[in-house]
Amino acid sequence: MAPPAQSQRSPSPSQPSGKGEVSDLKSQLRQLAGSRAPGIDDSKRELFKKVISYMTVGIDVSSLFGEMVMCSATSDIVLKKMCYLYVGNYAKVNPDLALLTINFLQRDCKDEDPMIRGLALRSLCSLRVANLVEYLVGPLGSGLKDNNNYVRTVAVMGVLKLYHISASTCVDADFPAMLKHSMLNDSDAQVVANCLSALQEIWSSEASSSEEASREREALLSKPVVYYFLNRIKEFSEWAQCLVLELVGKYVPSETSEIFDIMNLLEDRLQHANGAVVLATIKVFLQLTLSMTDVHQQVYERIKAPLLTLVSSGSPEQSYAVLSHLHLLVMRAPFIFSSDYKHFYCQYNEPSYVKKLKLEMLTAVANESNTYEIVTELCEYAANVDIPIARESIRAVGKIALQQYDVNAIVDRLLQFLEMEKDYVTAEALVLVKDLLRKYPQWSQDCIAVVGNISSKNIQEPKAKAALIWMLGEYSQDMHDAPYILESLIENWEDEYSAEVRLHLLTAVMKCFFKRPPETQKALGAALAAGLADFHQDVHDRALFYYRLLQYNVSVAQRVVDPPKQAVSVFADTQSSEIKDRIFDEFNSLSVVYQKPSYMFTDKEHRGPFEFSDELGHLSIGAESTASSQMLSELAISSVTGHASQSSLAIDDLLGLGLPVAPAPAPSPPLLKLNSKAVLDPGTFQQKWRQLPISLSQEYSVSPRGVAALTAPQALLRHMQGHSIHCIASGGQSPNYKFFFFAQKAEESSTFLVECIINTSSAKAQIKIKADDQSASEAFSTLFQSALSEFGLP
Amino acid sequence: MISQFFVLSQRGDNIVFRDYRGEVQKGSAEIFFRKVKFWKEDGQEEAPPVFNVDGVNYFHVKVVGLLFVATTRVNVSPSLVLELLQRIAHVIKDYLGILNEDSLRKNFVLVYELLDEVIDFGYVQITSTEMLKSYVFNEPIVIDAARLQSLGPASIFMQGGKRMPGTAVTKSVVATEPGGRMREEIFVDIIEKISITFSSSGYILTSEIDGTIQMKSYLSGNPEIRVALNDDLGIGKDGRPTYDYRSSSGSGAVILDDCNFHESVRLDSFDSEKTLSLVPPDGEFTVMNYRMTQEFKPPFRINTLIEEAGALKAEVIIKVRAEFSSSITANTIMVLMPLPKYTSRASFELEPGAVGQTMDFKEANKRLEWGLKKIVGGSEHTLRAKLTFSQESHGNITKESGPVSMTFTIPMYNASRLQVKYLQIAKKSGTYNPYRWVRYVTQANSYVARI
């Protein structure tokens, strides 16, 4: 079969015609394989290029494997590289054929030219074929000791590749220890950086099964190692600097002076043109100063300018990544950025994902002194051609109004929105006016006057319609034609597709009825009839409920449906403070861009090397005041469930199920004395928890009385505090409760940290203890157990 | 750490695809492209540069219409990956001279070779064009530069003047010139982007200059270079309180809010002599980025007037005045103004003797577009547009139109007055005198006048 003429081919590799071409290539490669004619390398190059271009567009050219390998006997380095690329791509699906390549790759690993040695070693390790690993160990071992730094950098990554193909082969050959040695001794910074990357991956994944790996991983954060990296930081490439900075961010200095030394050393990194370096440095600064409020604030001041510069230089994508981080900081400390509000004004040509962030920042930084200007600016956007942003801007104005600054002027603006006669503006503004009225009922007169002029026929969006209906019901005594508007809306019941609107309509007509019975009675009857016939379950149920309530007693119905209302002081925040803290902890990662902690979007096996145990993030960690308010809000729910578990327990006992009746025998009195006034801030707790190894892990039984007393986490907290064991975080619902406790020795500042999970249905407590002084953890455990066993005793 | 890297054309074709770790499925490019293309059904919002689909994180940057994409399953630093993607585009451009779909397709083997050295098993290794040279062996196939757009801010020199040696920014750092030896030359470009918002009464509400000093060196033997900036240059806190929009510009000093520098820049004599010294690596790179909110004289003033002329008619008058020296000429000016939604027609009237101007009413997005090829400093241009409406306007026509925005390029002009006083190349030989090009250009970033 003669190869077709070159010119007949389609010049664009994006539309190859498929199989025929692959077999053409096959025969052409065969012809060239044995040839030694001069210039043969050039024709080979052309053919190889074609193969690789097919590979790129996704055509399967794996059938050429044999021919490609046959052609690879060459000294031409460009050809070699193409061949390596091809082999790396297809070896995995052709493990048998891959064996063919081992020979020439191993030979190349011993080539005189370090370039060839490096390339061959890299390709050898990239084959990803499990049964060929035995061939890797030798070349990798000599590669790590090669006198050329290029070969060594390749070899280090090769070790990591080997680890992913066969972890046991890698560990058995003692490669991690060799990497550790190179990391601390190699003269080439890139070799050192690669060692760090590789070891972080290897030890993190080994840590779950090997104590030693876990210790080694912790040792990466020890003072000598961290200082070693810091001292060499200028030698590293900007990318490797990010790696080092990430490591330093996790280091916990033992003295304040260290913190300042590190910050002074890294100060000039804030002037780097690479945003990744700057953000990594900022993370170090923020983490180091977490427990030093004043310095922490100074850090915010210091990093403002570099962040703003990064936002305005570079591509829109790069500035988006930086802006997301700025957004996080602004949300955390709005007052620090309140004078910089003009930087958060939107530019007309910015992408909407940038504008959205900026609008949120403007909302956050608004205070007494700048509200007027910010709201004026936002009102400009409301008339914008970009409709989604116009909507967001109106919402932002509303949010600022709800923050209580200069409400007077803002209400006027919002009412102006209602008069703009753009349907989406009206819709957004209605929703806001409703929220405003819930918070500031005193504005009802002004708002009602304007809202009354809006024709309900012009409102289509369910949210806005619902808001309007709510206002009609709530203020029906002040709005002259409220009953008639409601009546006309009820007449169109069938056309109202949104169940939310129909639900609101039912409630509104009820409220209206209580205030103006004669005018509304007919409408109410029609609404209840329509509601009872409604196919939507909730609407049906609500109509039925109202109907029966009215039948039972009208004044009771009024107390249920239309009680006197108190103004809402704070609207529920969408994101809890724990989640926000968690995201802050993961500064300079995707968590910040997604505004979610990593456990929400990452699978377990892909979490980073040092990520904090994710359970802690779910719990309420924070200053005591926030923690307690958090608990109060949870109290209602957990006490209900608590009762449920209690009663089910009683039944269990009646049935005589095998629950231990007698409490576990109290252990002998402990020798350890604890400090009853111990203090530890949550930041330090987190850092310590991250750093210390688990020194003890046990499971206790909890007495049924203890279980019964555990109706809410608070009860146990108070009890444990009586034993000088303090709670820093707690959470969960029956049957699973989770607590983090800490305690300090009476005489010295040696701390114990405890994670305690109590399952009330199995009556078991699982505890993990971490301690500064590991030798005392046994004694502490006894003490903890005895304290726990007394829980619930009268 | 990334898992895959690929480059997609505007149509979604794979031009380059490299899988480093085999952790993300092969169809990722398709998933990515579909997601970006149909981010929101109404097409009004574009996809953010980073998003997550089924546990895979996709990062992308757009460069000359191409999508440079990386994927990973790990929670990495988004800045790092986006910087990296941008850097890869730069390195490729350094090698190919011109970066576009055609040049990438012609040189994809070279690109693979680069990618193998830039990233190993997902970890960044080398991104300096200079260092990569010793590991990369393919020769670039240079494509015809004349009809193609180039990458990066320096590309604006292409369109502008005859005095710019146009080929320089599209020259590969590795390809040898047809004449044999490379020409010894160095380019220093001061590129400024102006963002400004005028209130309806013509006051400046906000203004900012984002500047960058770009360098591209074709000097042999990597000599050290000293770049001297204005003597009276001040930065941030020592100059004055950092963010004071009202500070007077009377002092004459150039005061930057903040700046940052390339890795290679040494600042030993920056505080005392305002001099940067560096050994420029091969390829194009940013020496310095700076940001200035100090008051400056805006190059253009825009005046807009709308007058109702009966129930279904109105007249718009836009005046643009160039407030810079008559020795300078701005080019490729475009003035845009959104008109009320119910505008059905617009007819235009220019001042007598106007040349090189285009006017258009874009029916689809109800926008007036006024293009001017050139505006000489000191001159003023006026456009009158008569609008016809399809319905009576209820409210205020002014509220339903605008703001007026403007784009332009002004070569050899910079609003900040930051200057490169001299460019010293340290080399022993007395006869050595390479070409030094110091070029200034100002562009509009967001130049908006409210009405």
Side-chain angles (χ1 to χ4, degrees):
Chain A
M1 185 166 63
Q6 202 77 349
S7 57
Q8 285 171 355
R9 290 258 166 84
S10 143
S12 159
S14 67
Q15 303 121 8
S17 49
K19 278 213 161 144
E21 304 236 342
V22 175
S23 56
D24 287 350
L25 278 174
K26 194 174 189 132
S27 60
Q28 290 181 52
L29 280 168
R30 279 215 175 124
Q31 286 184 349
L32 294 182
S35 167
R36 300 236 161 134
I40 196 78
D41 280 348
D42 286 341
S43 6
K44 277 192 192 169
R45 278 194 192 188
E46 281 310 308
L47 276 178
F48 275 35
K49 268 189 195 173
K50 236 171 250 162
V51 173
I52 296 199
S53 87
Y54 284 4
M55 192 174 93
T56 300
V57 295
I59 294 175
D60 185 4
V61 283
S62 59
S63 58
L64 303 177
F65 205 99
E67 286 75 15
M68 287 294 282
V69 174
M70 282 199 297
C71 277
S72 60
T74 171
S75 54
D76 183 54
I77 196 155
V78 174
L79 268 180
K80 256 191 206 303
K81 282 191 159 191
M82 286 197 264
C83 186
Y84 292 155
L85 179 68
Y86 174 89
V87 167
N89 225 11
Y90 286 114
K92 200 174 178 185
V93 286
N94 279 318
D96 301 336
L97 288 167
L99 193 62
L100 295 175
T101 62
I102 291 281
N103 239 335
F104 81 84
L105 284 175
Q106 275 191 325
R107 196 177 56 236
D108 284 352
C109 281
K110 293 182 185 128
D111 200 278
E112 279 174 23
D113 184 352
M115 191 69 217
I116 304 236
R117 290 204 298 276
L119 284 174
L121 187 58
R122 187 160 65 205
S123 309
L124 193 60
C125 298
S126 302
L127 295 178
R128 293 186 206 158
V129 180
N131 54 11
L132 299 181
V133 288
E134 55 191 292
Y135 299 101
L136 301 188
V137 177
L140 274 177
S142 36
L144 286 175
K145 291 188 209 93
D146 202 287
N147 56 11
N148 181 282
N149 56 354
Y150 178 73
V151 182
R152 292 200 304 279
T153 50
V154 168
V156 174
M157 290 327 275
V159 169
L160 184 56
K161 290 173 195 167
L162 170 64
Y163 179 79
H164 281 270
I165 308 165
S166 165
S168 56
T169 314
C170 179
V171 175
D172 291 347
D174 212 19
F175 280 135
M178 287 164 77
L179 292 193
K180 187 181 172 188
H181 182 261
S182 298
M183 179 178 82
L184 298 175
N185 296 290
D186 204 289
S187 58
D188 184 86
Q190 192 59 43
V191 175
V192 173
N194 283 359
C195 286
L196 178 59
S197 307
L199 285 175
Q200 282 186 335
E201 264 197 51
I202 293 173
W203 281 335
S204 296
S205 103
E206 287 287 296
S208 54
S209 55
S210 148
E211 280 288 324
E212 192 201 339
S214 159
R215 262 199 312 280
E216 290 284 10
R217 186 177 67 160
E218 301 296 334
L220 284 178
L221 291 173
S222 66
K223 187 169 171 176
V225 176
V226 168
Y227 275 48
Y228 164 77
F229 278 113
L230 279 174
N231 285 329
R232 292 186 70 172
I233 191 144
K234 297 258 163 78
E235 296 172 36
F236 292 103
S237 75
E238 53 204 303
W239 314 105
Q241 285 182 17
C242 295
L243 191 70
V244 171
L245 290 168
E246 188 63 30
L247 183 81
V248 177
K250 286 168 190 131
Y251 169 66
V252 185
S254 50
E255 287 164 50
T256 323
S257 63
E258 277 189 65
I259 294 177
F260 293 110
D261 286 347
I262 294 175
M263 288 182 18
N264 284 330
L265 180 76
L266 297 178
E267 165 73 22
D268 63 347
R269 299 293 93 191
L270 291 174
Q271 282 200 324
H272 205 288
N274 186 331
V277 175
V278 178
L279 282 177
T281 311
I282 289 176
K283 179 168 188 178
V284 173
F285 281 32
L286 290 174
Q287 290 292 335
L288 285 178
T289 57
L290 214 48
S291 53
M292 308 158 80
T293 319
D294 291 353
V295 190
H296 198 64
Q297 287 232 10
Q298 282 174 29
V299 169
Y300 274 86
E301 293 287 348
R302 172 67 188 92
I303 61 186
K304 253 194 226 175
L307 280 173
L308 289 168
T309 305
L310 286 174
V311 169
S312 46
S313 56
S315 67
E317 294 91 357
Q318 287 159 298
S319 65
Y320 170 69
V322 179
L323 197 67
S324 303
H325 285 83
L326 193 59
H327 175 265
L328 172 77
L329 297 175
V330 167
M331 292 314 199
R332 250 183 113 75
F335 53 96
I336 296 182
F337 294 90
S338 57
S339 58
D340 305 301
Y341 63 94
K342 284 194 179 181
H343 287 292
F344 311 142
Y345 283 1
C346 298
Q347 295 177 349
Y348 80 99
N349 53 353
E350 283 170 334
S352 46
Y353 51 79
V354 167
K355 285 183 183 162
K356 276 189 186 160
L357 283 181
K358 286 191 163 177
L359 288 177
E360 282 178 32
M361 287 151 85
L362 280 174
T363 316
V365 298
N367 64 12
E368 287 92 339
S369 59
N370 60 22
T371 291
Y372 180 78
E373 286 186 63
I374 291 180
V375 171
T376 309
E377 181 75 12
L378 288 172
C379 290
E380 290 283 344
Y381 307 154
N384 208 303
V385 281
D386 185 349
I387 293 175
I389 293 304
R391 283 174 181 274
E392 295 275 350
S393 308
I394 299 168
R395 273 176 229 154
V397 172
K399 276 188 206 147
I400 293 174
L402 294 174
Q403 288 167 2
Q404 259 173 342
Y405 300 112
D406 198 11
V407 186
N408 212 336
I410 299 177
V411 172
D412 283 350
R413 306 274 182 110
L414 278 179
L415 297 179
Q416 279 173 21
F417 285 150
L418 288 178
E419 288 162 352
M420 269 172 70
E421 297 200 8
K422 287 191 181 178
D423 46 359
Y424 58 90
V425 175
T426 314
E428 290 295 339
L430 270 178
V431 176
L432 285 175
V433 169
K434 178 205 67 180
D435 284 345
L436 267 182
L437 286 177
R438 289 173 64 198
K439 188 161 178 182
Y440 309 109
Q442 66 269 31
W443 290 103
S444 59
Q445 292 302 326
D446 305 66
C447 296
I448 296 305
V450 182
V451 172
N453 290 331
I454 295 172
S455 162
S456 61
K457 292 188 184 68
N458 294 343
I459 314 292
Q460 292 308 323
E461 291 175 37
K463 275 217 155 22
K465 213 167 184 176
L468 179 66
I469 291 170
W470 182 86
M471 286 187 272
L472 285 170
E474 195 65 30
Y475 298 97
S476 41
Q477 74 277 25
D478 305 320
M479 291 164 94
H480 179 66
D481 41 1
Y484 311 105
I485 300 175
L486 288 172
E487 195 173 326
S488 72
L489 285 166
I490 291 161
E491 276 166 21
N492 295 322
W493 186 276
E494 295 295 318
D495 304 331
E496 184 50 64
Y497 62 93
S498 158
E500 187 193 1
V501 172
R502 298 202 300 273
L503 284 170
H504 271 277
L505 203 48
L506 277 175
T507 310
V509 75
M510 283 286 277
K511 288 179 186 166
C512 190
F513 170 73
F514 298 129
K515 286 162 194 153
R516 298 163 72 172
E519 290 161 283
T520 323
Q521 198 171 8
K522 190 172 145 244
L524 177 65
L528 289 177
L532 286 170
D534 203 283
F535 64 92
H536 193 277
Q537 196 65 48
D538 288 346
V539 178
H540 171 81
D541 287 0
R542 188 177 289 188
L544 192 61
F545 171 66
Y546 284 168
Y547 176 71
R548 292 196 175 148
L549 208 53
L550 286 168
Q551 246 185 350
Y552 171 70
N553 184 329
V554 174
S555 64
V556 171
Q558 178 163 17
R559 283 214 304 280
V560 171
V561 180
D562 193 22
K565 281 190 190 58
Q566 280 187 334
V568 180
S569 61
V570 186
F571 286 93
D573 203 346
T574 45
Q575 216 169 36
S576 69
S577 61
E578 303 91 77
I579 295 220
K580 286 181 189 158
D581 282 351
R582 186 68 194 275
I583 296 172
F584 181 74
D585 242 29
E586 295 175 346
F587 193 87
N588 195 21
S589 78
L590 288 168
S591 313
V592 178
V593 175
Y594 298 154
Q595 301 183 16
K596 281 179 194 162
S598 61
Y599 66 80
M600 290 189 182
F601 61 89
T602 323
D603 342 322
K604 254 215 161 87
E605 71 259 41
H606 294 295
R607 301 220 178 121
F610 292 104
E611 269 173 59
F612 193 28
S613 83
D614 49 306
E615 295 84 2
L616 198 54
H618 292 296
L619 305 176
S620 47
I621 300 163
E624 231 152 84
S625 57
T626 61
S628 62
S629 70
Q630 170 80 20
M631 276 162 205
L632 277 178
S633 65
E634 282 174 2
L635 187 62
I637 302 162
S638 39
S639 65
V640 171
T641 50
H643 283 306
S645 75
Q646 203 176 356
S647 56
S648 71
L649 188 71
I651 294 166
D652 284 348
D653 270 348
L654 280 175
L655 295 174
L657 288 178
L659 279 163
V661 179
S668 55
L671 302 167
L672 191 69
K673 286 259 185 306
L674 294 178
N675 177 2
S676 61
K677 296 195 177 66
V679 275
L680 194 68
D681 67 286
T684 322
F685 184 92
Q686 290 204 16
Q687 280 183 337
K688 275 187 181 284
W689 184 262
R690 200 155 58 197
Q691 292 231 300
L692 294 168
I694 294 174
S695 56
L696 207 64
S697 173
Q698 275 177 322
E699 191 175 85
Y700 309 144
S701 295
V702 183
S703 69
R705 264 171 304 177
V707 171
L710 192 63
T711 51
Q714 281 76 358
L716 182 64
L717 306 194
R718 263 176 257 119
H719 170 78
M720 294 306 274
Q721 197 152 18
H723 293 263
S724 304
I725 298 169
H726 309 269
C727 180
I728 195 143
S730 68
Q733 287 185 356
S734 175
N736 277 306
Y737 292 96
K738 185 162 200 176
F739 304 88
F740 284 90
F741 292 104
F742 69 92
Q744 272 167 4
K745 280 195 194 168
E747 291 84 14
E748 44 183 315
S749 68
S750 168
T751 315
F752 301 99
L753 309 177
V754 189
E755 179 199 83
C756 172
I757 303 169
I758 298 181
N759 184 305
T760 48
S761 60
S762 67
K764 293 272 192 253
Q766 287 180 325
I767 66 153
K768 287 188 183 124
I769 297 176
K770 299 189 175 190
D772 284 338
D773 172 12
Q774 302 211 5
S775 61
S777 44
E778 194 71 46
F780 177 75
S781 163
T782 323
L783 195 143
F784 189 88
Q785 194 179 357
S786 100
L788 193 63
S789 67
E790 285 168 35
F791 181 56
L793 291 180
Chain B
M1 180 193 72
I2 64 165
S3 202
Q4 299 167 325
F5 168 84
F6 47 90
V7 181
L8 299 185
S9 74
Q10 263 160 337
R11 298 177 305 282
D13 300 334
N14 274 1
I15 302 177
V16 178
F17 187 98
R18 186 80 175 88
D19 193 335
Y20 289 105
R21 292 182 65 104
E23 290 166 341
V24 173
Q25 69 274 32
K26 288 269 184 278
S28 53
E30 229 167 88
I31 296 171
F32 165 80
F33 191 70
R34 204 170 301 142
K35 194 82 188 167
V36 165
K37 193 128 197 223
F38 306 107
W39 182 251
K40 283 275 155 75
E41 283 133 41
D42 56 7
Q44 277 193 327
E45 283 177 41
E46 53 180 309
V50 188
F51 55 82
N52 181 304
V53 183
D54 298 332
V56 179
N57 303 299
Y58 296 85
F59 300 80
H60 75 279
V61 301
K62 283 190 195 131
V63 183
V64 291
L66 301 168
L67 292 160
F68 283 67
V69 192
T71 66
T72 179
R73 287 183 177 274
V74 184
N75 188 17
V76 292
S77 155
S79 264
L80 187 128
V81 180
L82 293 169
E83 291 271 354
L84 173 66
L85 289 174
Q86 205 75 45
R87 190 67 59 84
I88 292 177
H90 258 279
V91 169
I92 295 176
K93 198 235 162 188
D94 280 342
Y95 265 85
L96 305 187
I98 294 162
L99 176 61
N100 61 23
E101 189 176 338
D102 194 25
S103 69
L104 266 185
R105 285 198 191 280
K106 285 214 165 71
N107 287 288
F108 70 95
V109 178
L110 167 62
V111 174
Y112 275 124
E113 209 185 344
L114 284 169
L115 287 176
D116 263 348
E117 302 301 335
V118 170
I119 298 168
D120 195 2
F121 207 50
Y123 290 98
V124 191
Q125 304 292 310
I126 313 169
T127 54
S128 127
T129 305
E130 172 104 26
M131 285 166 71
L132 282 166
K133 273 186 184 174
S134 37
Y135 304 109
V136 172
F137 298 92
N138 273 292
E139 289 278 328
I141 302 161
V142 179
I143 59 165
D144 181 13
R147 58 196 168 87
L148 294 158
Q149 251 194 325
S150 112
L151 157 81
S155 61
I156 50 188
F157 293 111
M158 293 284 294
Q159 359 160 315
K162 290 155 194 105
R163 61 188 126 175
M164 308 291 178
T167 53
V169 284
T170 60
K171 197 162 76 173
S172 164
V173 293
V174 286
T176 38
E177 292 285 283
R181 271 186 57 238
M182 289 249 271
R183 189 153 76 148
E184 293 277 314
E185 55 189 345
I186 180 162
F187 295 85
V188 179
D189 299 329
I190 293 90
I191 301 158
E192 294 190 348
K193 294 193 173 177
I194 299 184
S195 297
I196 201 162
T197 309
F198 297 100
S199 74
S200 50
S201 45
Y203 286 112
I204 296 175
L205 290 171
T206 57
S207 65
E208 179 168 307
I209 297 176
D210 299 315
T212 174
I213 302 182
Q214 296 273 119
M215 194 179 273
K216 191 158 189 177
S217 160
Y218 297 94
L219 302 177
S220 58
N222 295 12
E224 188 185 281
I225 288 181
R226 287 166 65 82
V227 181
L229 306 175
N230 307 38
D231 304 329
D232 54 2
L233 184 71
I235 292 171
K237 10 186 210 297
D238 28 297
R240 73 202 153 96
T242 320
Y243 308 108
D244 182 1
Y245 289 93
R246 285 167 296 278
S247 77
S248 80
S249 56
S251 66
V254 176
I255 298 181
L256 307 177
D257 289 39
D258 185 52
C259 52
N260 61 35
F261 302 95
H262 186 261
E263 181 91 3
S264 66
V265 176
R266 288 209 321 278
L267 299 169
D268 310 335
S269 50
F270 184 65
D271 283 338
S272 54
E273 295 163 46
K274 314 297 174 200
T275 311
L276 311 171
S277 48
L278 67 154
V279 176
D282 285 347
E284 189 175 79
F285 69 101
T286 302
V287 178
M288 172 180 173
N289 289 308
Y290 57 92
R291 182 166 55 82
M292 188 177 111
T293 49
Q294 183 189 28
E295 201 170 284
F296 60 91
K297 196 172 176 193
F300 290 102
R301 287 276 175 180
I302 310 166
N303 265 319
T304 313
L305 202 70
I306 303 184
E307 279 177 343
E308 275 184 73
L312 292 169
K313 283 190 191 320
E315 189 180 33
V316 175
I317 303 164
I318 307 176
K319 261 191 198 139
V320 170
R321 199 168 64 245
E323 305 213 305
F324 43 85
S325 140
S326 58
S327 61
I328 289 167
T329 304
N331 52 44
T332 52
I333 300 102
M334 181 64 89
V335 181
L336 304 173
M337 176 176 171
L339 297 173
K341 290 276 168 280
Y342 41 80
T343 312
S344 56
R345 251 177 323 121
S347 61
F348 301 98
E349 191 185 307
L350 287 173
E351 67 226 324
V355 281
Q357 300 190 16
T358 57
M359 296 83 57
D360 202 358
F361 169 61
K362 287 274 186 282
E363 184 76 40
N365 46 14
K366 304 288 180 195
R367 197 165 68 174
L368 179 161
E369 299 188 359
W370 177 24
L372 298 97
K373 265 200 183 122
K374 273 180 190 162
I375 297 184
V376 179
S379 64
E380 187 178 278
H381 299 270
T382 311
L383 174 76
R384 286 166 186 275
K386 288 195 163 44
L387 311 181
T388 312
F389 300 140
S390 58
Q391 68 180 68
E392 252 181 86
S393 100
H394 301 288
N396 193 335
I397 303 178
T398 339
K399 270 211 162 148
E400 303 195 29
S401 36
V404 178
S405 63
M406 195 174 170
T407 57
F408 52 79
T409 301
I410 318 176
M412 300 321 285
Y413 172 87
N414 70 332
S416 73
R417 290 176 295 120
L418 180 89
Q419 280 184 313
V420 171
K421 293 265 179 206
Y422 59 83
L423 188 67
Q424 212 172 55
I425 302 170
K427 214 166 189 183
K428 293 111 222 156
S429 152
T431 55
Y432 180 73
N433 197 11
Y435 294 94
R436 284 166 244 204
W437 305 96
V438 178
R439 309 179 291 187
Y440 296 86
V441 73
T442 292
Q443 280 186 307
N445 181 25
S446 164
Y447 207 88
V448 174
R450 290 181 177 155
I451 54 174

